[in-house]
Amino acid sequence: MKRVALLISGGGSNMLALVRDMAGDHPARPVLVASNDPAAAGLGKAAALGIPVAAVDHRVFGKDRAAFEAALLEPIAACAPDIICLAGFMRVLSPDFVGRFKGRMLNIHPSLLPKYPGLHTHARALAAGDAEAGCTVHEVTADLDAGPILGQARVPVLAGDDEARLAERVLAMEHRLYPAVLRRFASGNRTPVFL
Ligand code: GRF
């Protein structure tokens, strides 16, 4: 049974989708939900589900990223995860931190990578007049939003879409894609999932 630590920054909708899927017959189970924001709503939701939680406020550390990551590493190391899922985690992690979990840290990004790494992905897809948008689950490497792709799902861009409507459509697909990828990844299969 693989042990999964999940990192969030806000509501944690992807974290909840993953945790709910792991509640069934699944090769992994959640052992920690941690956040860089003590006020992240997802922490309360995870705690209500009986999952250990931790919060390390990045603001306390100012510009000292290394000190923040050292503090964040404590509760993560204490639960000895096999896999780390970044799920709406909005802090950029250093190559040193990422390197500690090489090949076993996943992230979901709201675009069809390699298109639109970084922020404001939906606005960029709309501005480009793309007919499709979507989301990608990838291995986290030192290069932001650029690791090996483990899954991708496409949604249509519809007439009249604004950023909020497209984001909602993509997020619903994220909640299907990420659990499908984690199931496969946790069973040792790295074949990408395409929905
Ligand atoms: C989503 O757009 C997701 O793609 C990105 O963070 C946003 C919030 O995710 N990674 P969640 O609702 O906190 O899981």
Side-chain angles (χ1 to χ4, degrees), residues 2 9 14 44 67-68 71 78 92 102 128 134-135 141 162 172 187:
K2 298 293 186 194
S9 291
N14 274 289
F68 162 65
V92 175
K102 184 170 172 50
C135 48
T141 61
D162 58 11
S187 64

Side-chain angles (χ1 to χ4, degrees), residues 4-5 12 17 23 27 46-48 53 58 63 86 90 96 111 113 126 128 130 132 157 164 170 177 182-183 193:
V4 178
V53 296
H58 68 277
K63 295 192 182 308
L86 306 183
M90 302 307 274
D96 174 66
S111 80
L113 290 174
L126 290 168
D130 292 350
E132 280 188 327
V157 177
V170 171
L177 177 67
L182 181 58
R183 269 179 182 273
V193 174

Side-chain angles (χ1 to χ4, degrees), residues 7-16 86-90 107-111 121-122 134-136 167 170-171 174-175 178:
L7 303 188
I8 66 171
S9 291
S13 72
N14 274 289
M15 175 274 292
L16 287 170
L86 306 183
F89 188 68
M90 302 307 274
N107 181 48
I108 189 155
H109 180 78
S111 80
T121 61
H122 307 306
C135 48
T136 303
V170 171
L171 193 60
E174 291 178 34
H175 298 162
Y178 212 167

Side-chain angles (χ1 to χ4, degrees), residues 12 15-20 23 30 33 42-53:
M15 175 274 292
L16 287 170
L18 291 167
V19 163
R20 287 192 183 110
V33 172
L43 290 173
K45 297 170 189 170
L49 293 169
I51 302 168
V53 296

